[in-house]
Amino acid sequence: MADFIGKHGLLTKDALHLVALSGGADSVALLLVLHELGYRIEAVHCNFHLRGEESDRDETFVKNLCTERGIPIHLIHFDTKEYASAHQVSIEMAARELRYRYFEQLRTDLEAETVCVAHHRDDAVETLLMNLMRGAGIHGLTGIRPRNGSVVRPLLCVSRGEIEDYLRSKGQSYVTDSTNLEPDVLRNKIRLQLLPLMETIQSGTADNLARSAYYLSEAEKIYDAEIARETAQYKTPSSLDPHHSSLITYHSSLITSSPSPLCLLHELLTPLGFNRTQIEQILTGMDSESGRVFSSPTHTLVIDRECLIVEPLREPMRPLVIPEPGRYRLDENVCFDVLQTDDVTVSKSPDVATLDAYGIQFPLTVRPVQQGDRFQPYGMQGQKLVSDFLTDLKLNLFEKRRQLVLADATGTILWLVGLRIDHRYRVTPDTAAVLRLSLLVMGTGTWGEVRTH
């Protein structure tokens, strides 16, 4: 075990380390070994009050053990059932969240270097089998890692049998959690039923699975390095709108040229909340289903011709009402400047609309495009659906969703912002007064006095 700790750089001799002590064989062995190796340790015990007198028995046992060994101990009590109900999580998840939150808080308060937990080789094998049964990828088949942040697992190199042999040699007792003896949850079924059966079929199964997990963890390093190299070239941030939207574009041709497009898509999209079924459908539809939309809890993805475009979910935009000429803030990045003037010079900037003021009624409203919106594009005869106009420009779904229109009090669209004015409000030789509408984006100039809506 000392070699394992050194190989993985788990513990520093002079630092303080906390040991999660349940009173079971694994945690008792961990406490004793670290104490014998000369590490500076303090024990931590959580009473979750889930097993009645048995929970209190465990607390008494660990207190006596630490007193006998001269090891400081920290005790805490949790109302686990109340926490689970309040947070709508399982009892098992509630205990885990409470336990690790307290460990980290105590570690910080005591300026300890690590929290040592007693997962051993058989726990890693059980985890591997659980993940395999659930259809995990390579990251789920590497068992349990020796380190996860400040949490370390020095016992991963030994089996449960070796732990029990060690305690017998020391004449050290321990307590047994009766719930671990009931095959009522998946991990217990694997421990009590599946692994013993596998050992009857192939002797040394647990050792072989642990070895396989180690080989996979080494292969994982190569896999992660290659995935990082590949994903770097596929992600292209896009700033196509004045709101600085964090679009990401994945080019289909680059994805399909990967040795494993499905694997690559999985690594790209799983962190964004897309599930396995969606990822398989996205891959299948990349070349034939342009316009199809997929949603995760945090993002939206659209297949857009030769690309996959992803955007984080956005809050709906509040319309900006402009009651009279002036400068008005749409959001932290965008303002609209409205000026009435007798200067009939027509601006050539796409961010400025020069309109004949005659017939335009205040208040004006800036809002996103709505279904059924129509206007008469400058230079065209007759009206056109805004959605059709945007499609003709080959805008993608997100560009269409972000497109703003500026309408007057009658609902008439005067300006498809940044793209085209309505032909009926163009400046002509008969124009006497002009309404000049300017889109101002952060970083393009001084805003001066700004009104809010």
Side-chain angles (χ1 to χ4, degrees):
M1 184 169 151
D3 291 341
F4 182 81
I5 292 172
K7 176 182 177 181
H8 294 280
L10 300 184
L11 304 174
T12 303
K13 274 287 185 181
D14 296 331
L16 173 63
H17 305 283
L18 302 181
V19 179
L21 181 63
S22 68
D26 309 334
S27 64
V28 170
L30 176 62
L31 185 82
L32 298 189
V33 170
L34 294 183
H35 191 52
E36 290 173 0
L37 291 175
Y39 288 102
R40 188 158 63 96
I41 59 173
E42 296 184 11
V44 188
H45 178 77
C46 302
N47 189 332
F48 297 104
H49 292 282
L50 295 174
R51 294 177 286 119
E53 293 182 0
E54 198 173 278
S55 293
D56 295 332
R57 176 209 65 184
D58 295 352
E59 179 176 328
T60 299
F61 174 84
V62 299
K63 287 166 63 177
N64 292 337
L65 174 64
C66 289
T67 299
E68 293 168 4
R69 301 281 175 169
I71 299 171
I73 184 169
H74 305 268
L75 301 169
I76 189 168
H77 291 243
F78 292 116
D79 188 340
T80 313
K81 292 180 180 178
E82 175 62 27
Y83 180 92
S85 175
H87 293 80
Q88 297 185 327
V89 295
S90 68
I91 292 294
E92 182 181 21
M93 182 57 68
R96 175 182 172 81
E97 290 179 2
L98 289 168
R99 177 168 63 247
Y100 281 102
R101 185 180 303 165
Y102 175 65
F103 289 167
E104 181 57 24
Q105 176 188 330
L106 184 63
R107 187 191 69 81
T108 301
D109 291 344
L110 297 178
E111 298 183 346
E113 183 178 82
T114 66
V115 176
C116 304
V117 294
H119 293 116
H120 50 76
R121 187 209 63 182
D122 293 359
D123 290 321
V125 170
E126 292 162 13
T127 299
L128 183 153
L129 288 173
M130 287 173 63
N131 291 340
L132 184 63
M133 293 167 72
R134 290 167 174 165
I138 188 171
H139 294 298
L141 300 180
T142 56
I144 302 175
R145 298 177 186 277
R147 176 185 289 275
N148 182 13
S150 60
V151 176
V152 298
R153 302 178 174 92
L155 289 183
L156 278 181
C157 58
V158 297
S159 69
R160 170 72 182 202
E162 291 171 319
I163 288 172
E164 292 175 347
D165 289 342
Y166 167 78
L167 292 175
R168 275 194 295 270
S169 72
K170 296 291 181 181
Q172 177 62 57
S173 61
Y174 53 88
V175 295
T176 300
D177 182 344
S178 60
T179 61
N180 289 336
L181 303 178
E182 296 294 331
D184 56 346
V185 295
L186 180 57
R187 182 177 290 276
N188 285 0
K189 289 176 181 178
I190 291 173
R191 177 186 302 127
L192 301 174
Q193 298 175 345
L194 180 58
L195 273 171
L197 176 60
M198 295 175 73
E199 287 287 348
T200 66
I201 296 172
Q202 175 64 55
S203 178
T205 289
D207 288 333
N208 293 337
L209 288 173
R211 191 178 303 111
S212 294
Y214 172 74
Y215 293 152
L216 283 169
S217 68
E218 291 299 302
E220 181 186 36
K221 298 174 184 177
I222 301 173
Y223 173 88
D224 287 343
E226 181 62 16
I227 285 294
R229 187 191 67 78
E230 286 203 36
T231 55
Q233 63 178 320
Y234 298 132
K235 292 193 282 190
T236 306
S238 175
S239 54
L240 302 176
D241 72 345
H243 301 280
H244 305 288
S245 176
S246 53
L247 287 178
I248 299 176
T249 301
Y250 305 108
H251 298 284
S252 301
S253 60
L254 294 177
I255 291 173
T256 55
S257 66
S258 167
S260 176
L262 180 61
C263 180
L264 178 59
L265 267 186
H266 172 80
E267 296 296 339
L268 289 170
L269 300 182
T270 297
L272 304 183
F274 295 94
N275 61 44
R276 176 178 55 81
T277 300
Q278 289 176 310
I279 292 169
E280 291 175 355
Q281 292 173 343
I282 291 167
L283 179 61
T284 301
M286 276 198 315
D287 296 327
S288 59
E289 299 184 30
S290 184
R292 187 171 178 185
V293 178
F294 297 84
S295 297
S296 79
T298 57
H299 289 74
T300 301
L301 178 148
V302 63
I303 299 175
D304 186 69
R305 293 176 288 274
E306 301 301 320
C307 297
L308 305 178
I309 305 177
V310 187
E311 182 180 56
L313 297 182
R314 297 161 54 110
E315 290 291 329
M317 192 205 94
R318 289 174 52 206
L320 169 64
V321 178
I322 301 175
E324 60 185 8
R327 184 164 291 177
Y328 297 84
R329 185 189 302 275
L330 177 68
D331 59 26
E332 61 183 9
N333 297 314
V334 178
C335 280
F336 279 88
D337 195 29
V338 181
L339 174 67
Q340 191 156 337
T341 177
D342 57 6
D343 180 1
V344 297
T345 304
V346 177
S347 172
K348 294 183 179 180
S349 169
D351 291 336
V352 179
T354 311
L355 307 177
D356 190 322
Y358 180 76
I360 294 177
Q361 299 182 36
F362 282 87
L364 309 180
T365 301
V366 179
R367 60 169 175 79
V369 174
Q370 297 174 355
Q371 186 175 3
D373 276 346
R374 290 179 173 273
F375 82 128
Q376 184 177 339
Y378 178 78
M380 294 182 61
Q381 298 297 318
Q383 294 192 13
K384 190 179 184 73
L385 281 169
V386 171
S387 59
D388 290 344
F389 182 81
L390 298 179
T391 297
D392 292 343
L393 294 180
K394 300 187 183 303
L395 269 61
N396 65 53
L397 173 70
F398 300 114
E399 292 169 320
K400 292 177 181 178
R401 287 181 177 179
R402 296 193 309 275
Q403 181 59 51
L404 301 176
V405 299
L406 188 147
D408 75 353
T410 68
T412 302
I413 293 176
L414 309 175
W415 184 27
L416 202 56
V417 177
L419 293 178
R420 196 72 60 89
I421 65 168
D422 188 289
H423 185 79
R424 293 165 293 182
Y425 293 89
R426 70 194 186 281
V427 172
T428 71
D430 298 326
T431 297
V434 163
L435 198 64
R436 191 180 303 276
L437 312 171
S438 302
L439 172 67
L440 306 177
V441 181
M442 175 73 79
T444 59
T446 302
W447 283 0
E449 183 180 353
V450 181
R451 307 182 195 182
T452 57
H453 62 294

